[in-house]
PDB file of all heavy atoms in Angstrom:
ATOM      1  N   GLN A  10      44.449 -27.567 -13.164  1.00 94.00           N
ATOM      2  CA  GLN A  10      44.128 -26.208 -12.649  1.00 94.00           C
ATOM      3  C   GLN A  10      43.700 -26.355 -11.216  1.00 94.00           C
ATOM      4  O   GLN A  10      43.399 -27.369 -10.722  1.00 94.00           O
ATOM      5  CB  GLN A  10      42.923 -25.631 -13.526  1.00 94.00           C
ATOM      6  CG  GLN A  10      43.331 -25.326 -15.045  1.00 94.00           C
ATOM      7  CD  GLN A  10      42.107 -24.990 -15.824  1.00 94.00           C
ATOM      8  OE1 GLN A  10      41.168 -25.792 -15.833  1.00 94.00           O
ATOM      9  NE2 GLN A  10      42.201 -23.859 -16.468  1.00 94.00           N
ATOM     10  N   ILE A  11      43.696 -25.142 -10.601  1.00 95.00           N
ATOM     11  CA  ILE A  11      43.351 -25.197  -9.204  1.00 95.00           C
ATOM     12  C   ILE A  11      42.093 -24.040  -9.037  1.00 95.00           C
ATOM     13  O   ILE A  11      42.289 -22.991  -9.535  1.00 95.00           O
ATOM     14  CB  ILE A  11      44.493 -24.680  -8.366  1.00 95.00           C
ATOM     15  CG1 ILE A  11      45.609 -25.806  -8.287  1.00 95.00           C
ATOM     16  CG2 ILE A  11      44.083 -24.428  -6.831  1.00 95.00           C
ATOM     17  CD1 ILE A  11      46.826 -25.428  -7.581  1.00 95.00           C
ATOM     18  N   ALA A  12      41.175 -24.565  -8.231  1.00 95.00           N
ATOM     19  CA  ALA A  12      40.002 -23.603  -7.980  1.00 95.00           C
ATOM     20  C   ALA A  12      39.974 -23.380  -6.483  1.00 95.00           C
ATOM     21  O   ALA A  12      39.804 -24.301  -5.685  1.00 95.00           O
ATOM     22  CB  ALA A  12      38.606 -24.194  -8.350  1.00 95.00           C
ATOM     23  N   CYS A  13      40.156 -22.116  -6.085  1.00 93.00           N
ATOM     24  CA  CYS A  13      40.208 -21.683  -4.590  1.00 93.00           C
ATOM     25  C   CYS A  13      38.788 -21.218  -4.169  1.00 93.00           C
ATOM     26  O   CYS A  13      37.872 -20.868  -4.944  1.00 93.00           O
ATOM     27  CB  CYS A  13      41.172 -20.592  -4.429  1.00 93.00           C
ATOM     28  SG  CYS A  13      42.880 -20.997  -4.903  1.00 93.00           S
ATOM     29  N   SER A  14      38.592 -21.310  -2.806  1.00 90.00           N
ATOM     30  CA  SER A  14      37.301 -20.869  -2.323  1.00 90.00           C
ATOM     31  C   SER A  14      37.293 -19.563  -1.689  1.00 90.00           C
ATOM     32  O   SER A  14      36.388 -19.083  -0.967  1.00 90.00           O
ATOM     33  CB  SER A  14      36.699 -21.854  -1.374  1.00 90.00           C
ATOM     34  OG  SER A  14      37.408 -21.788  -0.127  1.00 90.00           O
ATOM     35  N   THR A  15      38.476 -18.816  -1.898  1.00 87.00           N
ATOM     36  CA  THR A  15      38.592 -17.525  -1.226  1.00 87.00           C
ATOM     37  C   THR A  15      39.595 -16.697  -2.022  1.00 87.00           C
ATOM     38  O   THR A  15      40.508 -17.336  -2.666  1.00 87.00           O
ATOM     39  CB  THR A  15      38.828 -17.561   0.201  1.00 87.00           C
ATOM     40  OG1 THR A  15      38.872 -16.274   0.808  1.00 87.00           O
ATOM     41  CG2 THR A  15      40.284 -18.159   0.451  1.00 87.00           C
ATOM     42  N   GLY A  16      39.502 -15.383  -1.945  1.00 80.00           N
ATOM     43  CA  GLY A  16      40.568 -14.605  -2.408  1.00 80.00           C
ATOM     44  C   GLY A  16      40.550 -14.420  -4.055  1.00 80.00           C
ATOM     45  O   GLY A  16      41.467 -13.864  -4.637  1.00 80.00           O
ATOM     46  N   LEU A  17      39.449 -14.733  -4.655  1.00 77.00           N
ATOM     47  CA  LEU A  17      39.373 -14.614  -6.065  1.00 77.00           C
ATOM     48  C   LEU A  17      39.461 -13.145  -6.562  1.00 77.00           C
ATOM     49  O   LEU A  17      39.693 -12.878  -7.699  1.00 77.00           O
ATOM     50  CB  LEU A  17      38.121 -15.282  -6.679  1.00 77.00           C
ATOM     51  CG  LEU A  17      38.050 -16.819  -6.411  1.00 77.00           C
ATOM     52  CD1 LEU A  17      36.936 -17.414  -7.305  1.00 77.00           C
ATOM     53  CD2 LEU A  17      39.354 -17.459  -6.765  1.00 77.00           C
ATOM     54  N   VAL A  18      39.137 -12.226  -5.712  1.00 62.00           N
ATOM     55  CA  VAL A  18      39.299 -10.788  -6.006  1.00 62.00           C
ATOM     56  C   VAL A  18      40.735 -10.439  -6.528  1.00 62.00           C
ATOM     57  O   VAL A  18      40.929  -9.445  -7.237  1.00 62.00           O
ATOM     58  CB  VAL A  18      38.813  -9.931  -4.870  1.00 62.00           C
ATOM     59  CG1 VAL A  18      39.830 -10.017  -3.775  1.00 62.00           C
ATOM     60  CG2 VAL A  18      38.726  -8.456  -5.292  1.00 62.00           C
ATOM     61  N   ARG A  19      41.721 -11.258  -6.005  1.00 58.00           N
ATOM     62  CA  ARG A  19      43.188 -11.021  -6.445  1.00 58.00           C
ATOM     63  C   ARG A  19      43.427 -11.525  -7.860  1.00 58.00           C
ATOM     64  O   ARG A  19      44.545 -11.316  -8.379  1.00 58.00           O
ATOM     65  CB  ARG A  19      43.977 -11.644  -5.385  1.00 58.00           C
ATOM     66  CG  ARG A  19      43.947 -11.170  -3.975  1.00 58.00           C
ATOM     67  CD  ARG A  19      45.013 -11.756  -3.212  1.00 58.00           C
ATOM     68  NE  ARG A  19      44.853 -11.391  -1.750  1.00 58.00           N
ATOM     69  CZ  ARG A  19      44.290 -12.091  -0.783  1.00 58.00           C
ATOM     70  NH1 ARG A  19      43.835 -13.358  -1.055  1.00 58.00           N
ATOM     71  NH2 ARG A  19      44.099 -11.698   0.424  1.00 58.00           N
ATOM     72  N   ARG A  20      42.422 -12.180  -8.406  1.00 54.00           N
ATOM     73  CA  ARG A  20      42.659 -12.808  -9.792  1.00 54.00           C
ATOM     74  C   ARG A  20      42.136 -11.798 -10.803  1.00 54.00           C
ATOM     75  O   ARG A  20      40.963 -11.520 -10.884  1.00 54.00           O
ATOM     76  CB  ARG A  20      41.939 -14.009  -9.964  1.00 54.00           C
ATOM     77  CG  ARG A  20      42.362 -15.192  -8.964  1.00 54.00           C
ATOM     78  CD  ARG A  20      43.636 -15.815  -9.337  1.00 54.00           C
ATOM     79  NE  ARG A  20      43.558 -16.506 -10.593  1.00 54.00           N
ATOM     80  CZ  ARG A  20      44.556 -16.858 -11.331  1.00 54.00           C
ATOM     81  NH1 ARG A  20      45.893 -16.804 -10.827  1.00 54.00           N
ATOM     82  NH2 ARG A  20      44.479 -17.517 -12.438  1.00 54.00           N
ATOM     83  N   SER A  21      43.016 -11.143 -11.481  1.00 57.00           N
ATOM     84  CA  SER A  21      42.587 -10.173 -12.410  1.00 57.00           C
ATOM     85  C   SER A  21      42.034 -10.740 -13.807  1.00 57.00           C
ATOM     86  O   SER A  21      41.228 -10.087 -14.580  1.00 57.00           O
ATOM     87  CB  SER A  21      43.839  -9.228 -12.911  1.00 57.00           C
ATOM     88  OG  SER A  21      44.835 -10.042 -13.404  1.00 57.00           O
ATOM     89  N   GLY A  22      42.275 -12.062 -14.105  1.00 62.00           N
ATOM     90  CA  GLY A  22      41.796 -12.655 -15.324  1.00 62.00           C
ATOM     91  C   GLY A  22      40.940 -13.766 -14.933  1.00 62.00           C
ATOM     92  O   GLY A  22      39.950 -13.691 -14.206  1.00 62.00           O
ATOM     93  N   THR A  23      41.217 -15.049 -15.371  1.00 77.00           N
ATOM     94  CA  THR A  23      40.496 -16.130 -15.192  1.00 77.00           C
ATOM     95  C   THR A  23      40.479 -16.567 -13.673  1.00 77.00           C
ATOM     96  O   THR A  23      41.501 -16.280 -12.952  1.00 77.00           O
ATOM     97  CB  THR A  23      40.899 -17.360 -15.990  1.00 77.00           C
ATOM     98  OG1 THR A  23      40.294 -18.532 -15.531  1.00 77.00           O
ATOM     99  CG2 THR A  23      42.452 -17.672 -15.692  1.00 77.00           C
ATOM    100  N   VAL A  24      39.324 -17.022 -13.208  1.00 88.00           N
ATOM    101  CA  VAL A  24      39.292 -17.410 -11.677  1.00 88.00           C
ATOM    102  C   VAL A  24      40.031 -18.773 -11.462  1.00 88.00           C
ATOM    103  O   VAL A  24      40.311 -19.027 -10.230  1.00 88.00           O
ATOM    104  CB  VAL A  24      37.827 -17.487 -11.274  1.00 88.00           C
ATOM    105  CG1 VAL A  24      37.218 -16.110 -11.268  1.00 88.00           C
ATOM    106  CG2 VAL A  24      36.992 -18.479 -12.089  1.00 88.00           C
ATOM    107  N   LEU A  25      40.273 -19.484 -12.466  1.00 91.00           N
ATOM    108  CA  LEU A  25      41.068 -20.810 -12.321  1.00 91.00           C
ATOM    109  C   LEU A  25      42.527 -20.540 -12.369  1.00 91.00           C
ATOM    110  O   LEU A  25      42.947 -19.702 -13.268  1.00 91.00           O
ATOM    111  CB  LEU A  25      40.678 -21.826 -13.385  1.00 91.00           C
ATOM    112  CG  LEU A  25      39.238 -22.385 -13.303  1.00 91.00           C
ATOM    113  CD1 LEU A  25      38.825 -23.179 -14.503  1.00 91.00           C
ATOM    114  CD2 LEU A  25      39.069 -23.210 -11.992  1.00 91.00           C
ATOM    115  N   VAL A  26      43.325 -21.179 -11.534  1.00 91.00           N
ATOM    116  CA  VAL A  26      44.793 -21.068 -11.591  1.00 91.00           C
ATOM    117  C   VAL A  26      45.298 -22.126 -12.505  1.00 91.00           C
ATOM    118  O   VAL A  26      45.069 -23.328 -12.263  1.00 91.00           O
ATOM    119  CB  VAL A  26      45.384 -21.168 -10.110  1.00 91.00           C
ATOM    120  CG1 VAL A  26      46.880 -21.144 -10.332  1.00 91.00           C
ATOM    121  CG2 VAL A  26      44.832 -20.084  -9.242  1.00 91.00           C
ATOM    122  N   ASP A  27      45.915 -21.700 -13.555  1.00 91.00           N
ATOM    123  CA  ASP A  27      46.563 -22.604 -14.631  1.00 91.00           C
ATOM    124  C   ASP A  27      47.824 -23.273 -14.045  1.00 91.00           C
ATOM    125  O   ASP A  27      48.309 -22.805 -13.115  1.00 91.00           O
ATOM    126  CB  ASP A  27      46.719 -22.034 -15.915  1.00 91.00           C
ATOM    127  CG  ASP A  27      45.519 -21.607 -16.587  1.00 91.00           C
ATOM    128  OD1 ASP A  27      44.517 -22.397 -16.522  1.00 91.00           O
ATOM    129  OD2 ASP A  27      45.485 -20.434 -17.237  1.00 91.00           O
ATOM    130  N   HIS A  28      48.222 -24.367 -14.739  1.00 93.00           N
ATOM    131  CA  HIS A  28      49.483 -25.082 -14.379  1.00 93.00           C
ATOM    132  C   HIS A  28      49.415 -25.465 -12.839  1.00 93.00           C
ATOM    133  O   HIS A  28      50.404 -25.188 -12.183  1.00 93.00           O
ATOM    134  CB  HIS A  28      50.673 -24.272 -14.782  1.00 93.00           C
ATOM    135  CG  HIS A  28      50.666 -23.693 -16.087  1.00 93.00           C
ATOM    136  ND1 HIS A  28      50.797 -24.481 -17.257  1.00 93.00           N
ATOM    137  CD2 HIS A  28      50.483 -22.395 -16.500  1.00 93.00           C
ATOM    138  CE1 HIS A  28      50.626 -23.640 -18.366  1.00 93.00           C
ATOM    139  NE2 HIS A  28      50.572 -22.312 -17.948  1.00 93.00           N
ATOM    140  N   GLY A  29      48.350 -26.093 -12.461  1.00 95.00           N
ATOM    141  CA  GLY A  29      48.260 -26.440 -11.041  1.00 95.00           C
ATOM    142  C   GLY A  29      49.267 -27.298 -10.505  1.00 95.00           C
ATOM    143  O   GLY A  29      49.658 -27.124  -9.371  1.00 95.00           O
ATOM    144  N   ALA A  30      49.804 -28.343 -11.243  1.00 96.00           N
ATOM    145  CA  ALA A  30      50.758 -29.208 -10.796  1.00 96.00           C
ATOM    146  C   ALA A  30      52.093 -28.472 -10.477  1.00 96.00           C
ATOM    147  O   ALA A  30      52.832 -28.687  -9.492  1.00 96.00           O
ATOM    148  CB  ALA A  30      51.027 -30.371 -11.831  1.00 96.00           C
ATOM    149  N   ARG A  31      52.417 -27.583 -11.435  1.00 95.00           N
ATOM    150  CA  ARG A  31      53.568 -26.764 -11.186  1.00 95.00           C
ATOM    151  C   ARG A  31      53.410 -25.797  -9.951  1.00 95.00           C
ATOM    152  O   ARG A  31      54.332 -25.626  -9.193  1.00 95.00           O
ATOM    153  CB  ARG A  31      54.022 -25.876 -12.461  1.00 95.00           C
ATOM    154  CG  ARG A  31      55.239 -25.206 -12.350  1.00 95.00           C
ATOM    155  CD  ARG A  31      55.680 -24.593 -13.682  1.00 95.00           C
ATOM    156  NE  ARG A  31      54.875 -23.416 -13.975  1.00 95.00           N
ATOM    157  CZ  ARG A  31      54.729 -22.873 -15.194  1.00 95.00           C
ATOM    158  NH1 ARG A  31      55.340 -23.417 -16.186  1.00 95.00           N
ATOM    159  NH2 ARG A  31      53.984 -21.787 -15.365  1.00 95.00           N
ATOM    160  N   ALA A  32      52.269 -25.219  -9.792  1.00 95.00           N
ATOM    161  CA  ALA A  32      51.969 -24.394  -8.606  1.00 95.00           C
ATOM    162  C   ALA A  32      52.251 -25.051  -7.314  1.00 95.00           C
ATOM    163  O   ALA A  32      52.671 -24.553  -6.340  1.00 95.00           O
ATOM    164  CB  ALA A  32      50.490 -23.802  -8.711  1.00 95.00           C
ATOM    165  N   LEU A  33      51.752 -26.434  -7.280  1.00 96.00           N
ATOM    166  CA  LEU A  33      51.965 -27.158  -6.015  1.00 96.00           C
ATOM    167  C   LEU A  33      53.391 -27.491  -5.909  1.00 96.00           C
ATOM    168  O   LEU A  33      53.932 -27.492  -4.745  1.00 96.00           O
ATOM    169  CB  LEU A  33      51.168 -28.459  -6.111  1.00 96.00           C
ATOM    170  CG  LEU A  33      49.672 -28.421  -5.896  1.00 96.00           C
ATOM    171  CD1 LEU A  33      49.040 -29.815  -5.975  1.00 96.00           C
ATOM    172  CD2 LEU A  33      49.370 -27.820  -4.470  1.00 96.00           C
ATOM    173  N   ALA A  34      54.060 -27.911  -6.966  1.00 95.00           N
ATOM    174  CA  ALA A  34      55.533 -28.177  -6.928  1.00 95.00           C
ATOM    175  C   ALA A  34      56.395 -27.008  -6.526  1.00 95.00           C
ATOM    176  O   ALA A  34      57.428 -27.349  -5.841  1.00 95.00           O
ATOM    177  CB  ALA A  34      56.060 -28.861  -8.216  1.00 95.00           C
ATOM    178  N   ASP A  35      56.079 -25.910  -6.850  1.00 95.00           N
ATOM    179  CA  ASP A  35      56.817 -24.724  -6.685  1.00 95.00           C
ATOM    180  C   ASP A  35      56.788 -24.159  -5.172  1.00 95.00           C
ATOM    181  O   ASP A  35      57.535 -23.380  -4.732  1.00 95.00           O
ATOM    182  CB  ASP A  35      56.418 -23.562  -7.600  1.00 95.00           C
ATOM    183  CG  ASP A  35      56.885 -23.707  -8.977  1.00 95.00           C
ATOM    184  OD1 ASP A  35      57.749 -24.683  -9.209  1.00 95.00           O
ATOM    185  OD2 ASP A  35      56.427 -23.016  -9.875  1.00 95.00           O
ATOM    186  N   LEU A  36      55.819 -24.798  -4.355  1.00 95.00           N
ATOM    187  CA  LEU A  36      55.689 -24.267  -3.039  1.00 95.00           C
ATOM    188  C   LEU A  36      56.865 -24.751  -2.244  1.00 95.00           C
ATOM    189  O   LEU A  36      57.156 -25.937  -2.096  1.00 95.00           O
ATOM    190  CB  LEU A  36      54.454 -24.897  -2.404  1.00 95.00           C
ATOM    191  CG  LEU A  36      53.136 -24.329  -2.952  1.00 95.00           C
ATOM    192  CD1 LEU A  36      51.888 -24.997  -2.381  1.00 95.00           C
ATOM    193  CD2 LEU A  36      52.964 -22.741  -2.621  1.00 95.00           C
ATOM    194  N   ASN A  37      57.572 -23.898  -1.528  1.00 94.00           N
ATOM    195  CA  ASN A  37      58.750 -24.092  -0.732  1.00 94.00           C
ATOM    196  C   ASN A  37      58.156 -24.401   0.792  1.00 94.00           C
ATOM    197  O   ASN A  37      58.087 -23.415   1.512  1.00 94.00           O
ATOM    198  CB  ASN A  37      59.725 -22.963  -0.697  1.00 94.00           C
ATOM    199  CG  ASN A  37      61.000 -23.400   0.041  1.00 94.00           C
ATOM    200  OD1 ASN A  37      61.121 -24.247   0.906  1.00 94.00           O
ATOM    201  ND2 ASN A  37      62.063 -22.770  -0.395  1.00 94.00           N
ATOM    202  N   LEU A  38      57.869 -25.648   1.051  1.00 94.00           N
ATOM    203  CA  LEU A  38      57.240 -25.915   2.289  1.00 94.00           C
ATOM    204  C   LEU A  38      58.168 -25.721   3.452  1.00 94.00           C
ATOM    205  O   LEU A  38      57.745 -25.351   4.561  1.00 94.00           O
ATOM    206  CB  LEU A  38      56.649 -27.417   2.238  1.00 94.00           C
ATOM    207  CG  LEU A  38      55.517 -27.731   1.165  1.00 94.00           C
ATOM    208  CD1 LEU A  38      55.017 -29.070   1.361  1.00 94.00           C
ATOM    209  CD2 LEU A  38      54.463 -26.688   1.355  1.00 94.00           C
ATOM    210  N   GLU A  39      59.398 -25.991   3.334  1.00 92.00           N
ATOM    211  CA  GLU A  39      60.408 -25.733   4.402  1.00 92.00           C
ATOM    212  C   GLU A  39      60.414 -24.314   4.760  1.00 92.00           C
ATOM    213  O   GLU A  39      60.458 -23.944   5.960  1.00 92.00           O
ATOM    214  CB  GLU A  39      61.804 -26.276   3.974  1.00 92.00           C
ATOM    215  CG  GLU A  39      62.010 -27.684   4.000  1.00 92.00           C
ATOM    216  CD  GLU A  39      63.490 -28.155   3.794  1.00 92.00           C
ATOM    217  OE1 GLU A  39      64.338 -27.244   4.143  1.00 92.00           O
ATOM    218  OE2 GLU A  39      63.687 -29.264   3.271  1.00 92.00           O
ATOM    219  N   ALA A  40      60.473 -23.390   3.741  1.00 92.00           N
ATOM    220  CA  ALA A  40      60.485 -21.962   4.099  1.00 92.00           C
ATOM    221  C   ALA A  40      59.191 -21.541   4.769  1.00 92.00           C
ATOM    222  O   ALA A  40      59.156 -20.723   5.649  1.00 92.00           O
ATOM    223  CB  ALA A  40      60.662 -21.161   2.904  1.00 92.00           C
ATOM    224  N   LEU A  41      58.033 -22.240   4.315  1.00 92.00           N
ATOM    225  CA  LEU A  41      56.756 -21.840   4.919  1.00 92.00           C
ATOM    226  C   LEU A  41      56.696 -22.241   6.312  1.00 92.00           C
ATOM    227  O   LEU A  41      55.883 -21.654   7.059  1.00 92.00           O
ATOM    228  CB  LEU A  41      55.655 -22.445   4.119  1.00 92.00           C
ATOM    229  CG  LEU A  41      55.446 -21.805   2.703  1.00 92.00           C
ATOM    230  CD1 LEU A  41      54.581 -22.722   1.834  1.00 92.00           C
ATOM    231  CD2 LEU A  41      54.805 -20.307   2.830  1.00 92.00           C
TER     232      LEU A  41
END
């Protein structure tokens, strides 16, 4: 899981982001 230090108002449910490894892997760094 991932715990952020800002922007939690955008989380409508749990404040922790599940499937953290997949969230990191899905980031398209070249496009960014």
Side-chain angles (χ1 to χ4, degrees):
Q10 296 172 302
I11 295 174
C13 302
S14 76
T15 187
L17 296 194
V18 69
R19 300 187 182 99
R20 302 282 299 167
S21 56
T23 175
V24 291
L25 291 170
V26 177
D27 291 323
H28 311 295
R31 189 170 72 196
L33 284 180
D35 286 347
L36 294 173
N37 187 336
L38 300 184
E39 282 191 27
L41 287 166

